[in-house]
Every structure is written in structure tokens, then in C-alpha cells.
Amino acid sequence: MARSKRVRRRPLIYIFIVIGLAGAAAAWWLLRGKEPMTFVRYEEFGIDMPVNYSIHGIDISKFQGNVNWMAVRQMQVDEIRISFAFIKATEGISRQDGTFQRNWEKAKEAGVIRGAYHFFYSTRDPIKQAINFRNVVQLESGDLPPVLDIEVHNNQPPAVIRSTARIWLEDMEKAYGVKPIIYTNIHFYETYLGKEFDDYPLWVAHYYQKDKPRSARNWVFWQHSDIGHVNGIRTTVDFNVFRGDSTDLLKLCIP
């Protein structure tokens, strides 16, 4: 009988180390909520699109000029099309976007789910800012909740920014019966707003790094580019994705 070869067995401690490292890596990914983010270049849109998300949209103001909403809605590349749009309505206590009413009506006619936003200043009376918005925007069933666009501090301390923002948000909720959406970037949110606003849906701007926003709290919309192109709009336009499917988007809208 031939002599059998001796098998060298690794000490159990090495096995435990490997298992431990694998478990730690898995836990790290779970805790961060990290999923591989895939961007695909679409020349038709002029940008790299995060294809992990199925619901895409834009946000516009008077700077996009005269929008052909039917062309916006009819454009489709692969499975990507524009399903929703946030439209600037008001700013401060007296300014209204000159293209809002037309955009508001034409977006609905084209079948685009619409939302209206207000550019907020913590140095202005929040009640008067709320009145400005309510005088301009008539939200209907199927529209997205009102949006507080809060991204400038105007040298105000966080306590002032939080208190004035809270007044506007609470006024909107009373007026329209839904919780408003907050639009900002992660740095502003964490510096000036913080945990007491975590119960509001968050629309986050994050487009200078090719990755999804990194935040300790969940976000609902992600503005991932400010240089996109779409049929029906001559200028560049902001692109967004919704974190969910079409059913989730409709649930967020006004009943």
C-alpha cells in the first residue's frame, strides 16, 4: 500500500478570522445601506443616469423658458422617461415665477405628475412667505406635496432657520392636508435643520460626486444632475430620481 500524503490543516483560528472578516464586511454594507450604484451614459439626455431607479423627473423655473411639455413627456430612451416635475412657484414674500401658471397647467395636460416649490429665506417673515405660496398654488388630487426649497442661511443661526422653516412647513400642512417636502443638500440639512425635521420627506441635491447621497436619514427624491437635456426644453435642466416605484409615488401625492 502506498503511503498517503499528509494533509496540512489550517488552525481553526484562521477559519474564524476569515468568517469574522466576511461578517464584518457584510454588516458594514448593511449598516450603510450601500448598494452598487450603476450609472449609464445616455447621449440623448446628455448625462450619466443612475439606472438603479425606475422613476425619473426634472425640476424647472423661468430659466428653462417656454417648455413643450408634450415633448418632455413623450421622450423615452430605453425605459427612461420623465414621469414627474417640480416647478418653481414663489420666492420670499412677494416674488412669483413668471412661467409657473403655464408650466403648472401644461404639465398636467401632458400627464406629468407635478409639484410646486417655494424658495425660502429665513430672513423673511415665514407666514408672509406661506401666504405668497398659497396665493399662487392650487394643489389638486394627484399633485405632489408642496416643497420648501431651503438652501441659503443668510448668516442666520441654526435656531432661527429651524424656527422659521417650521412655521412655513406647519402652515403648508394645515393648508393642503399633507406633509410638505424639504429640498436641500446634506450639509445644509445636517448643519441647520437636523433630526427634528426627520419626519418630513427629503428631496436631496447631490450631483458633484458620482454616487447616491450619503445620509443618516432616508431621502425620497435625489437631484443627481444640473446639466441634463430633454426634448421640449432648450436649456439644461435638473434631473431627479424617485426612491420607489410608481405606486409609491402615487401614495406620496395628494389624495
Side-chain angles (χ1 to χ4, degrees):
M1 183 181 289
R3 182 180 295 180
S4 61
K5 293 182 179 179
R6 185 179 179 184
V7 178
R8 296 185 62 190
R9 299 184 180 275
R10 293 184 181 276
L12 285 177
I13 188 170
Y14 289 115
I15 298 174
F16 290 141
I17 289 173
V18 171
I19 294 173
L21 290 173
W28 181 80
W29 281 83
L30 288 173
L31 287 173
R32 288 191 65 196
K34 184 73 176 178
E35 61 189 43
M37 181 57 55
T38 303
F39 284 82
V40 174
R41 179 73 180 183
Y42 283 90
E43 295 303 332
E44 297 89 343
F45 296 112
I47 56 174
D48 297 339
M49 302 283 280
V51 295
N52 300 63
Y53 304 96
S54 59
I55 308 298
H56 299 262
I58 58 175
D59 61 274
I60 68 164
S61 69
K62 64 182 181 181
F63 296 108
Q64 275 66 51
N66 189 18
V67 176
N68 182 337
W69 284 98
M70 283 298 179
V72 171
R73 181 58 175 162
Q74 290 170 1
M75 184 178 183
Q76 181 168 346
V77 184
D78 293 338
E79 298 299 317
I80 298 178
R81 64 187 304 181
I82 302 302
S83 298
F84 66 88
F86 288 108
I87 304 169
K88 185 177 181 181
T90 52
E91 179 175 338
I93 63 176
S94 60
R95 298 178 188 172
Q96 295 93 33
D97 190 288
T99 62
F100 173 74
Q101 291 300 340
R102 181 187 183 279
N103 283 326
W104 192 244
E105 295 169 5
K106 296 298 182 181
K108 182 177 181 180
E109 290 176 8
V112 176
I113 295 175
R114 60 190 187 172
Y117 71 92
H118 172 82
F119 193 93
F120 186 81
Y121 294 100
S122 58
T123 52
R124 305 287 189 271
D125 186 326
I127 291 296
K128 290 182 179 179
Q129 293 189 73
I131 291 171
N132 185 23
F133 185 87
R134 286 191 275 109
N135 285 343
V136 172
V137 182
Q138 303 299 317
L139 293 179
E140 302 174 1
S141 176
D143 292 335
L144 289 163
V147 178
L148 177 71
D149 179 346
I150 181 167
E151 53 186 291
V152 294
H153 56 76
N154 292 116
N155 297 316
Q156 297 301 300
V160 171
I161 293 173
R162 288 195 296 269
S163 63
T164 54
R166 175 72 69 180
I167 291 171
W168 191 95
L169 290 164
E170 290 178 349
D171 185 281
M172 290 296 104
E173 190 165 359
K174 289 178 183 177
Y176 298 106
V178 293
K179 219 163 197 44
I181 297 167
I182 294 175
Y183 166 87
T184 191
N185 59 72
I186 293 298
H187 174 74
F188 191 96
Y189 187 89
E190 293 178 348
T191 304
Y192 296 101
L193 297 177
K195 292 186 179 298
E196 68 179 84
F197 293 87
D198 281 357
D199 55 339
Y200 289 92
L202 178 63
W203 171 19
V204 60
H206 176 84
Y207 41 78
Y208 293 127
Q209 292 178 326
K210 203 172 181 180
D211 194 7
K212 69 180 181 180
R214 297 177 181 178
S215 172
R217 62 152 296 182
N218 288 332
W219 49 266
V220 179
F221 294 95
W222 167 22
Q223 185 186 71
H224 61 84
S225 177
D226 62 344
I227 55 171
H229 291 273
V230 65
N231 292 350
I233 300 179
R234 295 188 181 93
T235 67
T236 56
V237 64
D238 299 338
F239 267 65
N240 305 269
V241 291
F242 172 69
R243 194 176 195 172
D245 58 24
S246 57
T247 301
D248 297 325
L249 183 61
L250 291 176
K251 286 181 181 177
L252 183 62
C253 294
I254 294 174

